[in-house]
């Protein structure tokens, strides 16, 4: 099996960092690791190319990462910071044809409402992209090319979200609670990516304490924190607070699984 690479396309929370018009010291930071686009990840090997979520920074992320083919676009949930870039799949559609989109039924229905011109088949505007919809169900793995992918069910406040497990790699974002059965599916994974907004509590996201508790339950070899708010502080300062084998992800970081 060929090596799986994970490229962090974006590691910021919904507004990104810097926040527009903000004078917060983190937003003014000169450290490239303090610039965070909206959260997304590209998982690729010689055999497949998978992007999770498609937020408002998608176009810029595809250009920077050199991702030029997408076998599957997986969605975690429907929030705008994870979906608003969907129109920019157009160059991929022109090259590849309809782009396979994997998501919970609720998320597919939401996207269909918001991007009706992409999902309709009749009287389509020439130049509009098309997708193929594939419903992801709880406890039902699926294959992209020959790669097995397992959805991980979690809660984002009141909203259901999916994370995804691919070999030893687990990507879970916008999570506040995870049931024990789902935790058991990812125990002792090689690499865990988990959302960690800031130190202060939040109604629908892990804060640092909750993320660290979750990590000690899962016991991954390595963990990367993502979906970071400017209120969490400077990249370098956050990193100093973390235990061994827990890292703050940053945009354009690429790791091997
Ligand atoms: Zn989000
Ligand atoms: Zn969200």
């Amino acid at each position: 099996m060929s090596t799986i690479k994970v490229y962090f396309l974006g590691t910021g929370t919904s507004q990104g960092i810097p926040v527009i018009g903000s004078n917060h010291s983190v937003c003014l930071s000169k450290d490239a690791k303090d610039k965070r686009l909206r959260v997304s990840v590209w998982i690729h090997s010689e055999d497949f190319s998978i992007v999770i979520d498609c937020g408002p920074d998608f176009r810029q992320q595809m250009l920077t990462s050199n991702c030029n083919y997408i076998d599957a676009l997986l969605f975690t949930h429907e929030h705008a910071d994870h979906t608003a870039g969907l129109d920019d799949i157009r160059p991929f559609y022109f090259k590849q044809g309809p782009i396979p989109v994997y998501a919970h039924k609720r998320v597919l229905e939401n996207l269909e409402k918001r991007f009706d011109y992409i999902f309709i088949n009749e009287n389509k505007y020439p130049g509009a992209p098309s997708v193929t919809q594939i419903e992801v169900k709880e406890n039902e793995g699926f294959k992209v090319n020959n790669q097995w992918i397992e959805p991980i069910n979690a809660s984002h406040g009141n909203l259901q979200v999916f994370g995804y497990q691919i070999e030893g790699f687990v990507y879970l974002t916008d999570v506040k609670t995870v049931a024990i059965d789902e935790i058991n599916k990812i125990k002792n994974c090689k690499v865990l990516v988990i959302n960690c907004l800031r130190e202060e509590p939040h109604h629908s996201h892990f804060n640092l304490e909750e993320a660290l508790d979750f990590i000690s339950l899962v016991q991954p070899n390595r963990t990367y924190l993502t979906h970071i708010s400017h209120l969490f502080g400077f990249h370098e300062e956050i990193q100093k607070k973390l235990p061994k084998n827990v890292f703050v992800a940053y945009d354009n970081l690429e790791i091997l699984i």
Side-chain angles (χ1 to χ4, degrees), residues 33-215:
K33 291 178 181 171
D34 286 321
K35 312 278 179 221
R36 300 182 191 273
L37 298 178
R38 266 59 69 87
V39 75
S40 179
V41 78
W42 174 34
I43 307 148
H44 62 115
S45 74
E46 280 171 20
D47 307 315
F48 63 84
S49 172
I50 295 167
V51 173
I52 303 184
D53 288 333
C54 182
D57 300 314
F58 178 76
R59 175 178 176 275
Q60 192 181 338
Q61 291 165 329
M62 293 299 99
L63 292 171
T64 307
S65 64
N66 255 327
C67 173
N68 50 32
Y69 196 93
I70 296 180
D71 291 308
L73 185 52
L74 274 47
F75 283 102
T76 57
H77 65 303
E78 62 270 49
H79 281 164
D81 55 324
H82 299 254
T83 56
L86 189 59
D87 188 67
D88 280 321
I89 59 168
R90 291 175 71 219
F92 293 100
Y93 166 68
F94 294 145
K95 205 159 66 172
Q96 302 176 213
I99 304 302
V101 161
Y102 293 73
H104 189 282
K105 188 168 187 272
R106 180 199 78 241
V107 176
L108 292 172
E109 286 168 358
N110 177 284
L111 292 173
E112 196 170 351
K113 237 185 265 167
R114 288 163 54 214
F115 298 94
D116 57 344
Y117 66 97
I118 293 178
F119 285 75
I120 53 168
N121 292 317
E122 281 160 35
N123 299 322
K124 205 162 177 135
Y125 177 76
S130 287
V131 293
T132 310
Q133 303 182 53
I134 299 112
E135 183 186 340
V136 178
K137 295 178 178 167
E138 279 178 41
N139 298 313
E140 285 189 24
F142 55 91
K143 266 185 175 180
V144 169
N145 299 350
N146 261 331
Q147 183 59 53
W148 184 251
I149 301 173
E150 199 181 358
I152 304 300
N153 198 42
S155 299
H156 180 24
N158 293 326
L159 191 70
Q160 179 278 344
V161 297
F162 275 138
Y164 296 98
Q165 175 158 235
I166 301 174
E167 300 292 332
F169 173 72
V170 176
Y171 186 80
L172 261 178
T173 190
D174 293 53
V175 162
K176 177 72 175 179
T177 48
V178 187
I180 192 71
D181 287 353
E182 301 299 303
I183 293 175
N184 286 336
K185 291 178 186 172
I186 61 173
K187 263 205 167 141
N188 306 313
C189 62
K190 277 197 214 162
V191 176
L192 170 68
V193 177
I194 187 72
N195 60 301
C196 183
L197 190 70
R198 60 190 189 197
E199 290 195 54
E200 293 295 307
H202 185 274
H203 69 96
S204 64
H205 283 278
F206 276 163
N207 67 353
L208 179 58
E209 191 184 350
E210 291 163 322
L212 293 178
D213 285 349
F214 183 73
I215 292 163

